[in-house]
Amino acid sequence: MRTALQWIRSILFNIVMYVSMIALALAFTPLVLVDPKWAPVWMRLFARWTRFILRWIAGLKTEVRGEVPTGAALIASKHQSFLDSILLFSVLPAPRFIMKKQLAWIPLMGWMAIKAGFIPVDRGKRGVAIKRMMADVEKGRATPGQLIIYPQGTRVAPDRHLPYKMGTAALYAQLEQDCYPVAANVGVFWPRHGIYRRPGTAVIEFLPPIPPGHTAATFMVELEGAIETASNRLIAEARAD
């Protein structure tokens, strides 16, 4: 009975979330046409609204731990589901995501993402993607913000492991900024696929920054070690509840 009720709550949450996404995007479109600065405003509003309805409809609380960077920085985040993106966007003051190129073609949403400063790359051509990514980042230096990349390149379930890609090290070397690793356990509650939302507390955690100056190899070892160790701790914490 309890599981059936949670399925109903999960379905209701998803309906409300996607209807809200479309409604907010339509409402903000005229403003974005006048000034692109409104694009990240609607995304942040949607992210915070989603956290609210996720708790009150589906019974899933969210928590952000650690020091949230406010200046220019590179964010290298664990990516388990749409929820970690929502949490990042709800707290970072000027986030810009590295996103796969196909997402730019989503009607209205893709256009909004580009206006918000997201950087699309073609993951199917690794070398070209990294060069394009670095060129686009260079063009955006005049607008300080937090550049977000998923080092594994895709959503990874809590019990799976995929290698970390060197594109993150290339950005780290070029930007010469602090890199904040971000751990997560959100996949325990909001899976990569499916609509069921498990009640509990989903967490992302900003870890101590890695300062600039490391070699690519040293940086990647430190980054992966920090994210995986902290994520495993958060996952164990979630499953112990």
Side-chain angles (χ1 to χ4, degrees), residues 7 10 52 83 150 153 188 206:
W7 269 104
S10 298
F52 174 78
L83 182 54
Y150 297 119
V188 174
F206 287 87

Side-chain angles (χ1 to χ4, degrees), residues 13 41 52 58 71 73 76 83 121 128 133 155 165-166 199 205 215 227 232 241:
F13 161 74
V41 174
F52 174 78
L83 182 54
V121 297
V128 175
M133 185 191 308
R155 294 169 294 175
K165 300 179 182 296
M166 289 301 295
E205 182 176 348
T215 64
I227 292 177
N232 289 337
D241 288 344

Side-chain angles (χ1 to χ4, degrees), residues 73-85:
L74 178 63
I75 310 293
S77 176
K78 190 71 174 176
H79 190 26
Q80 296 175 340
S81 72
F82 186 30
L83 182 54
D84 47 65
S85 302

Side-chain angles (χ1 to χ4, degrees), residues 71-156:
L74 178 63
I75 310 293
S77 176
K78 190 71 174 176
H79 190 26
Q80 296 175 340
S81 72
F82 186 30
L83 182 54
D84 47 65
S85 302
I86 290 171
L87 296 183
L88 286 169
F89 218 97
S90 72
V91 295
L92 289 169
R96 293 180 298 157
F97 281 83
I98 301 290
M99 68 178 190
K100 59 183 180 181
K101 188 175 182 180
Q102 292 86 340
L103 295 178
W105 296 101
I106 297 176
L108 192 58
M109 305 303 172
W111 173 74
M112 283 280 197
I114 298 300
K115 291 295 184 181
F118 288 25
I119 301 173
V121 297
D122 187 348
R123 294 190 310 183
K125 300 177 181 177
R126 183 178 176 186
V128 175
I130 292 175
K131 290 180 181 179
R132 170 67 183 277
M133 185 191 308
M134 294 174 67
D136 286 343
V137 169
E138 188 68 32
K139 292 176 184 176
R141 275 182 183 265
T143 306
Q146 300 82 44
L147 183 62
I148 302 165
I149 187 169
Y150 297 119
Q152 291 169 292
T154 188
R155 294 169 294 175
V156 181

Side-chain angles (χ1 to χ4, degrees), residues 34-64:
V34 174
D35 191 337
K37 74 177 182 182
W38 288 102
V41 174
W42 92 259
M43 290 183 175
R44 186 171 299 106
L45 178 61
F46 166 73
R48 292 177 179 177
W49 168 248
T50 299
R51 291 182 66 180
F52 174 78
I53 61 174
L54 183 60
R55 176 171 184 170
W56 292 107
I57 297 178
L60 175 52
K61 295 177 286 185
T62 56
E63 182 181 343
V64 178

Side-chain angles (χ1 to χ4, degrees), residues 190-223:
W190 181 321
R192 177 181 177 184
H193 299 296
I195 61 174
Y196 186 79
R197 308 292 176 246
R198 177 188 157 192
T201 303
V203 179
I204 65 167
E205 182 176 348
F206 287 87
L207 304 172
I210 301 173
H214 292 293
T215 64
T218 300
F219 167 74
M220 291 303 295
V221 169
E222 186 171 346
L223 179 70

